[in-house]
Amino acid sequence: MKVLFVASEAAPFIKTGGLADVMGALPKALQALGVETALVIPNYEGISEEYKSRMETVYTGTVDLSWRNQYMGVQKLVADGIPVYFIDNEYYFKREKLYGFDDDAERFAFFVKATLAMLPHIDFRPDVIHSNDWHTGMLGAYLKEDFMQDPFYQGLKNIYTIHNLKYQGVFGREIVENVLGMPLRLLYNGNIENGGNVNFMKAGMCYADYITTVSPTYAEEITYPYFGEGLEDYVALCAGKISGILNGLDDKEYDPETDQNLPVCFNGTNVFIKKPLAKEELQRELGLTVDREIPVLAMITRLVEAKGLDLFTYIMDELMEEQVQLVVVGTGDEAYANALRELAWTHPGNVSVNILFDEGLARRVYAGADLFIMPSRYEACGLSQMIAMRYGAVPVVRATGGLKDSVKNFDKYTAVDGNGLSFENFNAHELLFTIKRGLTYFADKPLWEKLVLNAMQSDNSWTRSARAYADLYDKVAGVPEPAENVSEEQVEATAEEILKAVEGTPEAEAGLQAAPQENEAEVNNITKAEPETVPAEETHSGAAEEAEPVKKKTATKKAATKKTAAKKTATKKSAAKKNVAGDAEEGAETKKVSTRKRAAKKSAAVTDAASVETPAPAEPKKRGRKPGTKIKKKDAE
């Protein structure tokens, strides 16, 4: 199985959010399971020279985009065993940031079309193309409306993953012909349209062979208007080809035992000795009062409404009445940033607000925090809560999306196996009360240590998620599941069970009583008939050997009766074995047909005997059949 991942960013090359983390970790996890993977992203200006110096050019050509004929280059390097391809065009990608330009529709339409165009020229033809988020939404449309006309592309499957439904790639309808170079019928029939505009995410869903989201709960939530962002009706229509697979965490990248950003490293065996040391170092670094007994609350987040900043700013003054310290790291809306700055000004020594993003500082905050606050309005998956648990910080989350799937609420009475604290409703005081509940656990050291260990021992690795994706690729690509081997001992045991079950039934008893009369009639017919040869298809033994000529006066009635009874017993055992073993041996299907014929004859004989008080003399039976006639298959069911 070969899978090509197509995305707008990937760690460690270029990153603005969680998508990059997924693209950096999932291909490696699948590679470890035996799936051959590769990755393609744009060759941005922001990719460091460390990686650009290792790239080699594997192909150059052009891509038609409506009336434009644009240059494309394909660079390649191998990182951690994964081939990574970079689509090169300085006009589109030599810019100071990744997104937010007026021609984003043109930039990413070029990117996905160039990705498809490069496939015949590289040494990697995928079975499945796995595209991600709105930036790659048009890939499926180009594949099935254009490139499928080339035999090289026939049979390629496309899986599309929604990482965040809020960002859909919505553009004016005028780009259909002028930029995308697509026929207007795709707008009119709704394939690439939503609300009168071109919608890249809608196109990705429409043309995908299968759709995934990054958590099971989010896959259900986006069928409702509150989470659906205007696409909830179409998501519901796609119910037959959509499911959620929870993202994982790169446990090698995020490991408090080996993290070089930490002043003190620790693991699950020494966390209660060394984590307090990391906490004290964080307090010194940020100018907070150094005291390991004061609980440190942390938020590492984008300062936007979707992350629950409305809830937090509403209760932050009331929260600071408790004996706690607060650390915030992130960037976003200036209104939230100013409110947090004011909180830090009024609570010196207890609040540190850092309106920036520094990866090293973020790691030290995870390691030094006791509670990690994440009150999101919605969260497709979320990575921060998994990192927090890995670093021994207990997450406090709203039960939505991936937060609900990854954090199980801890309760000292009913759920001592919980790995975090959660609340249901998007309500500020529910958040406050949940934080206060966490503070009571912090004061109860044995209970707190149990909760911290539960969090650190949570299985959030990519291995579990990668297995689910590997199974999905096999399903979409049509790879058959391996047949389960059935041993001879299982066949024998099941055959005996079937025989015991059959022998005690009234039908079986009636069949045994009718058998002597049937056998006697058959012997009479044999002795009266002309010498004939019985074809192999009609032999009662059901075996594969050739039938021999049956001559009159070669057997007495008594001998024939014994022989027939023995054959019936053998037939029962043979039929039982066949039902269990299936098609394990050659000729099994032929034997099943013969068995059903004999069963049909016996059933007819029993029915006749039960319905007629005085049976009429049996007509002489002729053995065999006329040449050229077909054997008619009777229904013995």
Side-chain angles (χ1 to χ4, degrees), residues 80-360:
D80 295 323
I82 308 295
V84 184
Y85 299 92
F86 300 84
I87 301 299
D88 186 42
N89 181 299
E90 292 189 353
Y91 173 73
Y92 290 130
F93 303 126
K94 191 175 183 179
R95 306 186 185 188
E96 70 275 11
K97 58 181 181 178
L98 276 59
Y99 320 118
F101 300 99
D102 292 338
D103 63 344
D104 276 354
E106 182 179 335
R107 295 172 68 224
F108 290 103
F110 165 81
F111 168 59
V112 296
K113 199 166 185 182
T115 296
L116 292 171
M118 80 171 182
L119 293 181
H121 308 287
I122 63 174
D123 57 351
F124 190 90
R125 184 191 183 278
D127 301 295
V128 175
I129 300 176
H130 190 156
S131 50
N132 297 269
D133 259 355
W134 74 262
H135 321 89
T136 62
M138 289 303 298
L139 185 144
Y142 283 124
L143 175 63
K144 294 188 176 180
E145 294 289 347
D146 185 2
F147 284 80
M148 279 284 187
Q149 299 177 31
D150 186 335
F152 175 85
Y153 296 91
Q154 293 175 7
L156 290 185
K157 301 297 183 180
N158 177 31
I159 291 177
Y160 182 68
T161 294
I162 300 170
H163 295 260
N164 192 335
L165 194 64
K166 184 174 180 64
Y167 305 103
Q168 300 177 8
V170 179
F171 305 97
R173 58 191 299 159
E174 67 277 0
I175 74 167
V176 176
E177 292 182 314
N178 186 47
V179 174
L180 303 180
M182 304 292 281
L184 280 173
R185 63 177 174 82
L186 303 183
L187 182 77
Y188 298 144
N189 65 17
N191 286 6
I192 63 173
E193 176 271 341
N194 190 62
N197 295 311
V198 174
N199 189 301
F200 277 32
M201 184 163 283
K202 169 77 175 293
M205 297 171 66
C206 177
Y207 286 96
D209 295 294
Y210 202 87
I211 305 166
T212 69
T213 68
V214 290
S215 71
T217 296
Y218 190 62
E220 180 183 355
E221 286 177 343
I222 59 178
T223 62
Y224 304 111
Y226 185 82
F227 300 97
E229 303 290 345
L231 279 176
E232 61 275 0
D233 291 337
Y234 190 73
V235 171
L237 287 175
C238 295
K241 64 171 187 176
I242 187 170
S243 64
I245 299 176
L246 185 66
N247 279 346
L249 178 70
D250 189 337
D251 49 10
K252 292 183 180 178
E253 174 66 23
Y254 296 99
D255 187 353
E257 189 172 17
T258 60
D259 194 333
Q260 299 301 310
N261 296 289
L262 306 187
V264 180
C265 293
F266 55 89
N267 57 35
T269 61
N270 58 24
V271 57
F272 302 113
I273 298 173
K274 295 189 174 183
K275 184 175 172 69
L277 300 177
K279 176 178 178 178
E280 291 175 345
E281 289 297 323
L282 178 68
Q283 290 170 327
R284 292 188 187 94
E285 179 182 356
L286 298 179
L288 302 176
T289 301
V290 179
D291 187 346
R292 67 172 62 182
E293 295 303 320
I294 299 177
V296 172
L297 283 55
M299 295 184 71
I300 302 172
T301 182
R302 286 184 293 114
L303 304 179
V304 294
E305 186 269 344
K307 296 298 182 181
L309 267 294
D310 285 340
L311 299 189
F312 186 78
T313 54
Y314 188 83
I315 55 96
M316 62 185 181
D317 290 319
E318 192 174 350
L319 177 63
M320 294 312 297
E321 294 176 4
E322 304 291 329
Q323 189 180 9
V324 298
Q325 294 177 346
L326 174 67
V327 178
V328 179
V329 177
T331 60
D333 293 350
E334 197 63 23
Y336 296 125
N338 289 335
L340 291 168
R341 288 190 185 105
E342 183 179 352
L343 184 70
W345 183 77
T346 56
H347 295 84
N350 287 324
V351 178
S352 174
V353 175
N354 306 272
I355 308 302
L356 53 85
F357 185 77
D358 181 301
E359 182 67 26

Side-chain angles (χ1 to χ4, degrees), residues 113 457 496 562 570:
K113 199 166 185 182
Q457 293 168 1
E496 292 297 331
K562 290 181 178 180

